[in-house]
Amino acid sequence: MEYRGELLAPAGNMECLRAAVAAGADAIYLGGQQFGARAYAGNFTDSELLEGLAFAHFWGRKIYLTVNTLTKQEELGRLADWIAPFYEAGLDGVIVQDMGVLETLRDAFPELELHASTQMTVTESRSALFLKSLGVCRVVPARELCLEEVCLLKQKTGLALETFIHGALCYCYSGQCLFSSLLGGRSGNRGRCAQPCRQPYQILEDGRPAKGSGRQSAYPLSLKDLCALPFLPRLMDAGIDSFKIEGRMKRAEYVAGVTAIYRKYMDLYLKNPSGWQVGREDLELLSKLYVRSETGGGYYDRHNGRELLTLEKPGYSGCPEELLERLRREYLEKELSRPVSLSICLEAGRPAELTASCGGVSERREGAQVTEAKNRPLTGADVEKQLRKTGGSGFTVEQLYTGISGPVFLPVSALNELRRETLEALHRRLEEAGGPGTGRRRRSKPEPEEQEAGGRAPEPGMRVPEPGSPKLYVSAQQSAQARAALGETAVRRLYLSADLALGKEGEELLFLAESRKGSDPDFSLFLELPPLLRSYSEPYLKRVKELVLRCGGTVDGFLAGSLTGMCWARQEFPEKKLSLQHRVYVFNRETWQLWERCFAPDTYTAPLELNRQELKGLPANRQEMVVYGRLPMMISAGCVRQSAGKCRVCHTQEQLEQGIDQRSFFDCLKDRYGAEFPVQVNCRHCMNTIYNSVPLSLHPYLSRLAGQGLRALRLDFTDETQKSAAGLIRFFAGQGGSAPGEYTTGHYKKGVQ
């Protein structure tokens, strides 16, 4: 099949859907009233969704439904019933983030295409191949990948890839951000992001504005809108399967204008690659359609840098009214119609026969009986006049064949009725032909005994308190904190940063851990893997593997914060234990069941956005709960040092692979209210982690937590000194010390909507 590449446009309502079709989109992604990651878009009611499916399929276009929020247990029970009518009406695919949602849809709707959302943060082939094994047929990789990485992902997996070509970009990796959630209770993972990244911040170094950043607040977290049009041929040459335009909250004029431009240049390149060139007027049009100051090429050619940011005025600029009016005339107000060929046979004594053909589909209908003309017989012109009256039908007559045998008569009303019935039947046939087929039915859920016979893990029950108090675990990012944990007997497990273990103090820390294990056999040491791993991380992972093999039994397991880390740990060290960081979301029991079946984790970390009542619905005896620590709000490929002009390292792919410049240190962002957010600048992996301005502390609820059967309470240390870390360990172990001063209880009481 000749490569074409799918142009995928957004739609927040029916007007946007019609605009996308009129402008030439091959497929449209949209959200319903539930489960979509754009809660503030217009979104489609259930009846509008069914109408939209029929409309798109009539035009031979596909519809992908966004079911890409993290989903709570009580919501998951409603999902299959909600999806069923759309599936039966021929829904082409769903875009999914939550693994419990993936499991539910795969089991209930076996013929439904499953697409992995960019929010799954697929950054390399291990995670993509795992998703492929679960039935995922298309992956939307993390938007931070360069073109070389996208090509490598395609080559190694054979999966269909969908990448963004235009629109807004999140500063946080794949939009998996807790900034809005922790500051204002509006969760980006639930489609309600308040976009704090578009607010002004000062970059502080040692408490003072970083040299080069200016003393006035700038916008170091606000990325320019992506515009890939100038290098579209390179993306097409890479064999990307679907080119995605961001913008489900944008107006119909935006959808029409952007879609039309990309349609034009995709078609031009396929027809004449050597003569392909972008017109200045088209670039100007894109620059005027709701962009933040400027547009750029995103991450396709660079890892980070000031050039990616709108350091000033990140709000959307207005659009010229004459441009909007032009787009309305060309795409929104013009009646859409498909060309149809009609052929009619009229013979006295026989029913009138009309055949209508469009897009390779034909429909034939018989009408009233034709009689012999007594006075004025029907002429070809008479018949043609009536058959061309197709207004409102969705068709325009392109070809017309009139076959009249002798002098015949048929009332005009009969001709009109035959035309309407035939075109309506053809319309229905085209709707069916344009989708994967209507009439599909959801699969019934197997009975419990059938599940066991099929080898599936039994569904975990509600949490049952176990005797005994939860254990105390500690995560350490710095050597001083690790030393404090190793010196406190109350700590039963230490999660030691793998970066730290590979650093200059790593050998001594591992020796201390081995000594501790010699005197305390129940103590365990896990290595915490980086939260983001990419194709250039392979040399790093090789060094971790060599370290673990060299240490023998000192390392008992791994704490993984990504699907890539989970896959690597299980492939390389299947005999060792595996724990899941809170970035590996467990919002519902179905997700835990999948992780348990595929990875057999020792423990998982309680998700940070569920409240205490919602957490009770998850298995307790394998759960760790973070009760102290600065919570990571953003992990980004962007770098505040680079934005301030302080970074002198040019992170090429080769340098990242070699691990050149392995520093890790803290800077700070100060917002307009004076709150300061520590930023861990990790040069080994060229990523930043932005932490909350105050630590989480659940010490007011320790007595409640002690009786819930949790496996462990965890302290996550980031910028604490050895003395403060030791004091906090003793306090949470009930051995003295004092409670944290300023703190937040996060979402433990209220959760997110």
Side-chain angles (χ1 to χ4, degrees):
M1 182 178 178
E2 184 179 352
Y3 171 80
R4 184 170 185 263
E6 175 186 86
L7 180 57
L8 178 58
N13 53 44
M14 282 297 296
E15 185 181 28
C16 292
L17 173 57
R18 292 190 177 94
V21 169
D26 299 301
I28 299 93
Y29 67 101
L30 47 82
Q33 298 290 310
Q34 304 179 62
F35 305 103
R38 287 292 183 270
Y40 301 117
N43 291 323
F44 287 68
T45 65
D46 292 0
S47 60
E48 286 174 336
L49 248 172
L50 293 171
E51 179 188 349
L53 277 167
F55 175 77
H57 288 164
F58 169 72
W59 284 95
R61 317 299 167 87
K62 295 183 177 181
I63 293 288
Y64 305 135
L65 183 62
T66 57
V67 191
N68 56 342
T69 54
L70 295 178
T71 303
K72 299 178 184 180
Q73 191 65 50
E74 67 274 13
E75 297 167 335
L76 196 57
R78 305 194 300 266
L79 176 62
D81 288 339
W82 182 66
I83 291 286
F86 314 134
Y87 175 72
E88 292 166 5
L91 179 64
D92 297 277
V94 290
I95 305 171
V96 174
Q97 174 189 9
D98 189 291
M99 299 302 291
V101 169
L102 178 65
E103 282 280 88
T104 299
L105 295 179
R106 184 186 63 177
D107 290 347
F109 308 108
E111 299 173 66
L112 183 60
E113 280 195 12
L114 300 173
H115 300 179
S117 168
T118 189
Q119 290 163 288
M120 282 196 178
T121 321
V122 175
T123 53
E124 50 68 70
S125 59
R126 281 190 186 88
S127 52
L129 287 171
F130 172 74
L131 293 171
K132 186 177 182 179
S133 74
L134 297 180
V136 169
C137 64
R138 178 185 291 193
V139 165
V140 189
R143 282 174 274 194
E144 290 75 9
L145 299 192
C146 68
L147 183 55
E148 180 183 345
E149 291 175 287
V150 173
C151 292
L152 188 63
L153 186 60
K154 177 75 175 175
Q155 174 188 332
K156 287 190 171 184
T157 67
L159 279 162
L161 295 187
E162 174 182 306
T163 64
F164 286 86
I165 55 171
H166 199 89
L169 292 172
C170 295
Y171 190 77
C172 181
Y173 259 100
S174 291
Q176 278 201 347
C177 178
L178 296 178
F179 211 139
S180 172
S181 175
L182 291 172
L183 265 59
R186 288 174 53 175
S187 170
N189 285 309
R190 304 272 295 165
R192 294 173 169 83
C193 180
Q195 298 190 324
C197 54
R198 308 298 181 184
Q199 298 301 322
Y201 299 90
Q202 277 188 316
I203 301 172
L204 304 182
E205 182 182 14
D206 298 327
R208 295 185 301 275
K211 187 178 179 181
S213 67
R215 293 190 173 272
Q216 298 300 318
S217 295
Y219 298 85
L221 309 183
S222 180
L223 289 169
K224 292 178 182 177
D225 284 6
L226 172 65
C227 178
L229 185 61
F231 50 92
L232 184 61
R234 291 174 54 206
L235 301 178
M236 296 179 70
D237 289 343
I240 292 170
D241 300 270
S242 182
F243 299 92
K244 187 171 192 174
I245 299 166
E246 183 276 338
R248 281 201 294 125
M249 295 181 69
K250 305 281 181 64
R251 292 173 53 170
E253 292 88 345
Y254 167 89
V255 174
V258 175
T259 302
I261 293 294
Y262 279 92
R263 174 81 283 149
K264 172 183 175 180
Y265 285 100
M266 287 175 70
D267 292 346
L268 283 174
Y269 185 67
L270 290 172
K271 291 177 183 176
N272 183 18
S274 60
W276 190 88
Q277 188 175 1
V278 178
R280 181 184 299 177
E281 66 282 0
D282 290 324
L283 283 174
E284 288 179 356
L285 186 151
L286 291 178
S287 71
K288 294 175 182 177
L289 274 174
Y290 301 103
V291 298
R292 287 185 172 88
S293 305
E294 300 176 73
T295 58
Y299 292 100
Y300 283 116
D301 278 325
R302 58 187 305 115
H303 190 79
N304 57 30
R306 292 169 67 96
E307 296 83 358
L308 293 175
L309 300 168
T310 56
L311 289 170
E312 298 180 359
K313 300 179 182 178
Y316 280 117
S317 56
C319 296
E321 184 55 39
E322 61 271 19
L323 173 59
L324 297 178
E325 183 57 37
R326 188 187 110 198
L327 292 171
R328 282 193 286 268
R329 285 197 309 270
E330 292 183 12
Y331 300 105
L332 307 184
E333 298 172 358
K334 186 165 58 177
E335 183 179 348
L336 295 176
S337 62
R338 295 191 67 174
V340 66
S341 296
L342 298 180
S343 177
I344 191 166
C345 294
L346 300 173
E347 183 179 349
R350 298 175 61 87
E353 294 181 6
L354 179 61
T355 302
S357 302
C358 177
V361 176
S362 296
E363 189 67 28
R364 175 182 168 277
R365 282 288 186 273
E366 291 185 351
Q369 191 87 352
V370 181
T371 60
E372 187 173 348
K374 296 181 180 178
N375 297 311
R376 182 178 176 276
L378 275 176
T379 65
D382 296 331
V383 175
E384 181 173 351
K385 179 181 177 182
Q386 300 308 315
L387 294 184
R388 288 192 178 275
K389 293 181 178 180
T390 57
S393 69
F395 296 103
T396 299
V397 178
E398 184 179 57
Q399 294 180 324
L400 178 62
Y401 172 76
T402 304
I404 301 177
S405 299
V408 299
F409 174 76
L410 189 68
V412 167
S413 59
L415 267 175
N416 291 339
E417 184 178 0
L418 178 59
R419 182 200 69 238
R420 283 193 299 268
E421 288 182 356
T422 307
L423 292 182
E424 286 173 0
L426 180 62
H427 203 293
R428 291 191 295 271
R429 285 282 305 280
L430 285 168
E431 290 175 1
E432 295 170 2
T438 56
R440 299 180 297 180
R441 293 290 180 269
R442 65 183 287 188
R443 183 160 56 192
S444 300
K445 188 174 183 179
E447 296 299 322
E449 59 269 19
E450 293 176 327
Q451 291 183 351
E452 291 182 15
R456 295 176 62 85
E459 182 173 320
M462 302 293 281
R463 59 174 58 196
V464 178
E466 295 183 350
S469 301
K471 300 176 181 179
L472 187 64
Y473 294 170
V474 166
S475 166
Q477 296 296 317
Q478 300 186 42
S479 60
Q481 301 152 2
R483 292 174 191 277
L486 289 168
E488 297 292 334
T489 57
V491 177
R492 310 314 303 149
R493 178 180 293 179
L494 171 61
Y495 292 118
L496 182 67
S497 161
D499 286 359
L500 192 55
L502 289 174
K504 60 182 180 180
E505 297 182 83
E507 186 174 341
E508 183 182 356
L509 291 172
L510 290 169
F511 174 77
L512 292 173
E514 187 176 6
S515 300
R516 168 74 185 274
K517 292 182 69 173
S519 61
D520 185 359
D522 292 331
F523 173 79
S524 60
L525 176 72
F526 281 44
L527 292 185
E528 182 174 359
L529 298 173
L532 268 300
L533 294 162
R534 289 165 62 166
S535 58
Y536 57 67
S537 304
E538 291 304 313
Y540 172 86
L541 291 171
K542 182 180 179 182
R543 291 184 62 197
V544 174
K545 179 179 178 180
E546 291 170 350
L547 175 69
V548 174
L549 293 174
R550 190 167 64 247
C551 291
T554 304
V555 176
D556 299 287
F558 302 93
L559 176 63
S562 67
L563 186 50
T564 297
M566 295 160 64
C567 292
W568 177 85
R570 275 290 162 257
Q571 289 167 5
E572 300 294 343
F573 297 99
E575 75 283 2
K576 293 193 179 292
K577 293 181 179 180
L578 175 65
S579 292
L580 309 183
Q581 182 58 287
H582 46 70
R583 278 181 55 85
V584 181
Y585 289 107
V586 182
F587 249 58
N588 48 68
R589 292 192 298 272
E590 283 75 1
T591 296
W592 169 246
Q593 180 179 341
L594 184 147
W595 295 142
E596 191 173 36
R597 186 174 72 245
C598 298
F599 294 96
D602 179 55
T603 60
Y604 70 98
T605 308
L608 301 177
E609 294 189 286
L610 294 184
N611 64 31
R612 55 193 174 192
Q613 289 302 120
E614 292 162 341
L615 287 168
K616 288 181 180 179
L618 300 175
N621 60 348
R622 307 281 280 281
Q623 185 183 114
E624 302 177 27
M625 182 174 289
V626 178
V627 294
Y628 172 83
R630 289 188 185 271
L631 299 182
M633 301 192 300
M634 274 190 179
I635 299 176
S636 176
C639 176
V640 297
R641 286 232 147 186
Q642 183 84 295
S643 302
K646 294 288 292 181
C647 182
R648 296 294 179 262
V649 179
C650 179
H651 284 291
T652 64
Q653 190 87 350
E654 180 182 2
Q655 285 178 315
L656 286 166
E657 289 173 357
Q658 294 175 2
I660 292 175
D661 197 322
Q662 298 172 358
R663 298 171 298 162
S664 183
F665 46 85
F666 280 87
D667 282 338
C668 197
L669 290 175
K670 183 177 181 179
D671 72 7
R672 52 191 169 155
Y673 303 110
E676 296 184 1
F677 304 91
V679 182
Q680 185 180 21
V681 180
N682 188 318
C683 292
R684 182 192 293 269
H685 305 286
C686 198
M687 68 182 181
N688 282 192
T689 303
I690 303 174
Y691 292 94
N692 201 358
S693 58
V694 294
L696 170 82
S697 184
L698 297 183
H699 65 272
Y701 306 100
L702 287 179
S703 58
R704 177 197 295 265
L705 293 171
Q708 292 186 350
L710 301 177
R711 169 74 69 85
L713 306 180
R714 197 171 85 216
L715 313 181
D716 283 359
F717 293 137
T718 51
D719 59 352
E720 290 79 6
T721 65
Q722 183 169 345
K723 181 179 179 180
S724 64
L728 286 163
I729 291 170
R730 288 192 288 271
F731 172 76
F732 279 92
Q735 299 173 354
S738 57
E742 190 178 7
Y743 66 92
T744 175
T745 57
H747 290 302
Y748 183 71
K749 289 189 291 185
K750 293 185 178 180
V752 294
Q753 290 186 341

